[in-house]
Amino acid sequence: MGTVKRRRGATALTLLCALAILAAPGLAVGTAFAAPTPDPGTKSLEQVRKEIEDLYRQAGTATDAYNLAESETKTQSAKIVEIANQVVAGQERISALKSRAGAAARAQYRSGGLPPGAKLALSNSPTQFLDGADRLRQGEKATSDLLSELNRTQDDLQQYAKDASAQWAALEANRVKQESAKKEIEQKIKTAEELESKLEAEEKARLLQLEQEAQYRSQTAWLSTGVLKDVHGSATEAGKRAVQFASAQIGKRYVWGAQGPDTFDCSGLTSQAWRAAGKSIPRTSQEQLRLLPKVAVKDMRPGDLIIYFDDASHVAMYVGDGAIIHAPRPGRNVTLAGAGSMPIKAVVRPDV
């Protein structure tokens, strides 16, 4: 029964994708536009689609670099604050040690003056003298230990200074990397948007149809391998909450770097969905791939994350029956799509 249900679900999703293509905005069901015949020297609409898609993928890769640099910058800033606190504590420790050392030196000076032999000869009680000499030796050792601790603390402060310099250098390097990635992202998105803005309304509708047709072909090819016949996983309670959150965001706009509540990018959606489910996961798709446990496609269950493309530049949430919810790219909204509509790199699981 479960297998039949899954087959129906997969068939329904395939049908849904097909209907979505036919009912693209600006198109009547059953209407088909021929791709505009380009003038000599101009690009075909399919070439434009691929170029726009490639630009957005490059922006996605740069976005991960930006988010990673931002995360590392926050980590380094926290380390610098920690080092600063250690420096303050070390300086206070040195002040206290110097005060104690000064007091010990003054006490030793007051008790000095005569050599030990003379003190023994003039003492009324040899036992008392020996007791005093023992206390003096103890005091000398305490002073020596105190000075050693003072030296160690000063060495620690020097090391803190070196650590702080290294962290500042890393912080600046990440700031430069972050700015460079941001410029690249903005340029790629701007170029893609300019390409799309030059299209007529009919061409924009046809462009969306071409996108959906390409996704439909990929999804159909993926399903035809029988990949879903062994997928029996059920969502955990946390997985259900993550899927519910992602489902509630359908229709919201993709915005670069956004993590909600009104707009999302791809990894912003998945990370916030799992945060709503009570689980903190990495912010970027590349870090989600690197740090979360991987599972086989046949073992995936609703709530798992599917990482796409060789550079791990996109991520979506698997919701069952061969479908995903994802934030596709600028100019598009959070939507339901086929899990096989893009090249799958890996499946990762936030709630092991």
Side-chain angles (χ1 to χ4, degrees), residues 8 10 12-13 18 60 82 110 139 146-147 160 200 244 307 320 336:
R8 287 176 179 170
L13 181 63
E82 181 185 348
R110 287 194 298 270
L146 195 149
L147 291 173
Y160 293 154
E200 299 295 333
Q244 287 169 356
I307 310 294
L336 183 73

Side-chain angles (χ1 to χ4, degrees), residues 147-161:
L147 291 173
S148 295
E149 186 175 353
L150 180 62
N151 289 332
R152 283 197 303 272
T153 304
Q154 288 174 328
D155 289 343
D156 287 343
L157 285 177
Q158 290 178 349
Q159 185 60 49
Y160 293 154

Side-chain angles (χ1 to χ4, degrees), residues 83-98:
I83 290 170
N85 290 333
Q86 290 172 329
V87 168
V88 170
Q91 289 172 335
E92 291 174 350
R93 180 69 176 155
I94 281 179
S95 295
L97 289 170
K98 283 181 176 179

Side-chain angles (χ1 to χ4, degrees), residues 104 220 231 288 307 318:
T220 302
V231 179
Q288 288 169 3
I307 310 294
Y318 183 65

Side-chain angles (χ1 to χ4, degrees), residues 7-265:
R7 285 176 182 164
R8 287 176 179 170
T11 303
L13 181 63
T14 303
L15 181 60
L16 176 65
C17 292
L19 290 174
I21 292 168
L22 295 174
L27 299 175
V29 174
T31 302
F33 287 110
T37 303
D39 294 328
T42 63
K43 299 173 183 175
S44 70
L45 196 56
E46 176 62 13
Q47 288 174 318
V48 171
R49 180 192 73 79
K50 289 180 177 178
E51 187 171 345
I52 289 173
E53 182 180 285
D54 188 51
L55 284 165
Y56 281 128
R57 275 199 53 220
Q58 290 175 40
T61 302
T63 295
D64 258 18
Y66 175 90
N67 288 333
L68 184 58
E70 183 180 44
S71 175
E72 289 174 345
T73 296
K74 288 178 180 177
T75 300
Q76 273 129 19
S77 296
K79 285 181 179 177
I80 288 170
V81 170
E82 181 185 348
I83 290 170
N85 290 333
Q86 290 172 329
V87 168
V88 170
Q91 289 172 335
E92 291 174 350
R93 180 69 176 155
I94 281 179
S95 295
L97 289 170
K98 283 181 176 179
S99 177
R100 285 171 53 195
R106 288 191 296 273
Q108 191 172 16
Y109 175 79
R110 287 194 298 270
S111 66
L114 291 174
K119 287 185 179 181
L120 176 59
L122 295 173
S123 175
N124 294 326
S125 170
T127 302
Q128 186 178 7
F129 167 79
L130 292 174
D131 288 342
D134 185 56
R135 285 194 298 272
L136 182 61
R137 282 194 299 273
Q138 291 175 359
E140 289 173 344
K141 183 179 184 305
T143 301
S144 175
D145 290 346
L146 195 149
L147 291 173
S148 295
E149 186 175 353
L150 180 62
N151 289 332
R152 283 197 303 272
T153 304
Q154 288 174 328
D155 289 343
D156 287 343
L157 285 177
Q158 290 178 349
Q159 185 60 49
Y160 293 154
K162 290 179 182 177
D163 291 345
S165 295
Q167 291 300 330
W168 277 115
L171 188 68
E172 177 61 15
N174 272 314
R175 186 193 66 76
V176 171
K177 186 165 62 175
Q178 202 172 337
E179 283 301 313
S180 175
K182 184 178 180 181
K183 287 178 182 176
E184 182 180 356
I185 293 160
E186 290 173 342
Q187 184 57 50
K188 299 294 184 187
I189 291 175
K190 181 181 177 182
T191 303
E193 288 175 342
E194 286 176 350
L195 276 172
E196 200 162 354
S197 70
K198 293 175 182 176
L199 301 175
E200 299 295 333
E202 182 179 299
E203 290 176 315
K204 288 180 181 178
R206 175 62 179 153
L207 179 68
L208 178 58
Q209 185 180 21
L210 287 174
E211 286 180 13
Q212 293 172 332
E213 285 173 352
Q215 293 167 9
Y216 175 69
R217 287 194 298 271
S218 296
Q219 174 72 355
T220 302
W222 185 68
L223 291 175
S224 69
T225 64
V227 65
L228 289 185
K229 65 181 175 61
D230 295 323
V231 179
H232 306 301
S234 298
T236 61
E237 287 304 313
K240 289 176 184 176
R241 291 194 296 272
V243 169
Q244 287 169 356
F245 178 92
S247 300
Q249 313 315 310
I250 289 176
K252 294 185 177 179
R253 287 187 307 119
Y254 178 109
V255 170
W256 170 71
Q259 300 182 69
D262 300 319
T263 56
F264 295 89
D265 64 13

Side-chain angles (χ1 to χ4, degrees), residues 260-291:
D262 300 319
T263 56
F264 295 89
D265 64 13
C266 66
S267 56
L269 176 64
T270 55
S271 60
Q272 289 303 304
W274 272 102
R275 183 177 180 182
K279 177 79 173 179
S280 177
I281 66 172
R283 167 66 176 88
T284 72
S285 57
Q286 290 174 345
E287 287 296 279
Q288 288 169 3
L289 172 66
R290 187 173 73 87
L291 297 175

